[in-house]
Amino acid sequence: MQQHGSRHRHDVAAAAASGYWTLAAPYTHETEIKKSQFIATAWPVASAAEALSHIAEASDPTASHNCWAFKVAGTARSNDDGEPGGTAGKPILGAIEGDGLDGVAVLVVRYFGGVKLGAGGLVRAYGGAARDCIRAAPKAFVKSKVQLAVVTPFECLGTVYNMLAKHGAAAGEEDYQSNGKVKLTLTADADQAESLQQAIADATSGKVQPTLVATHES
């Protein structure tokens, strides 16, 4: 996972092909708008359940509103928590998507200060609080991973592991077969998979031919 500062202008289009941008760590940002206090907290998350857990834990039952949104693995949800429909959760989600992020949850807690903001003001307040929080937070690029299946003669096992080390890949448990061969499931960065396949085939004189099993993000 490569970490970058808040000023890094990531290339969303390029990232889509090989992984995604998320947050490197939780971050909190506070702002005051017409006497109302808005406290935005953002987290990197790996699942909807994790997002909802963070949101529930950080919500303040004494606050006027606890509005939130998250996007993870392409799935998005938002909640206005009593604010007029579409004035809080949707702008928060828009801040996440506007920066091309995935695996991110944002909660904006509002403490009402006595001055009504109106629908347009609420959209700007919640969206702005979320956007300022996200943009100030440290970012991380998560590479897409692929899984490769390998069946190798025992005498080639050491060669396979050497190629894995050179390509930053890893292997799961060894499954020894009755015919003297060993089955492995390899996990590699998507952008290294093709060269890893070729390297293993070349190093074993074609005795081992890794095949693609699945693609996923981690």
Side-chain angles (χ1 to χ4, degrees):
M1 189 179 284
Q2 302 170 357
Q3 295 189 8
H4 297 263
S6 60
R7 295 183 181 180
H8 181 76
R9 303 302 299 173
H10 46 273
D11 186 340
V12 175
S18 57
Y20 63 92
W21 284 94
T22 188
L23 303 185
Y27 195 85
T28 297
H29 175 81
E30 299 185 21
T31 186
E32 185 176 308
I33 301 173
K34 293 186 177 179
K35 298 184 179 180
S36 281
Q37 186 180 20
F38 292 84
I39 302 176
T41 304
W43 301 267
V45 294
S47 67
E50 182 183 359
L52 292 171
S53 176
H54 283 309
I55 291 165
E57 185 176 348
S59 292
D60 182 356
T62 70
S64 305
H65 303 278
N66 293 276
C67 305
W68 54 264
F70 68 79
K71 184 176 181 182
V72 58
T75 298
R77 283 182 59 186
S78 63
N79 189 290
D80 295 311
D81 191 37
E83 294 283 29
T87 63
K90 188 174 180 180
I92 295 170
L93 179 59
I96 297 171
E97 294 180 331
D99 265 23
L101 302 177
D102 202 345
V104 172
V106 179
L107 168 70
V108 180
V109 179
R110 181 191 184 190
Y111 296 91
F112 183 58
V115 179
K116 293 184 177 181
L117 302 181
L122 289 172
V123 169
R124 290 188 293 274
Y126 280 101
R131 183 180 61 251
D132 291 346
C133 180
I134 289 169
R135 291 188 176 175
K139 308 297 190 303
F141 184 70
V142 180
K143 285 189 174 184
S144 292
K145 300 287 186 180
V146 297
Q147 288 188 331
L148 302 168
V150 163
V151 179
T152 175
F154 179 77
E155 64 269 19
C156 296
L157 190 59
T159 301
V160 170
Y161 277 119
N162 285 338
M163 294 302 103
L164 295 183
K166 289 181 179 180
H167 288 78
E173 287 188 21
E174 299 171 356
D175 182 6
Y176 288 85
Q177 308 293 293
S178 58
N179 60 4
K181 294 187 176 182
V182 184
K183 288 180 66 175
L184 294 169
T185 299
L186 314 180
T187 302
D189 290 340
D191 59 0
Q192 290 289 313
E194 187 175 346
S195 61
L196 174 61
Q197 287 176 292
Q198 190 63 53
I200 291 175
D202 290 345
T204 61
S205 301
K207 293 179 183 178
V208 183
Q209 299 284 343
T211 57
L212 183 65
V213 176
T215 303
H216 60 89
E217 293 171 342
S218 66

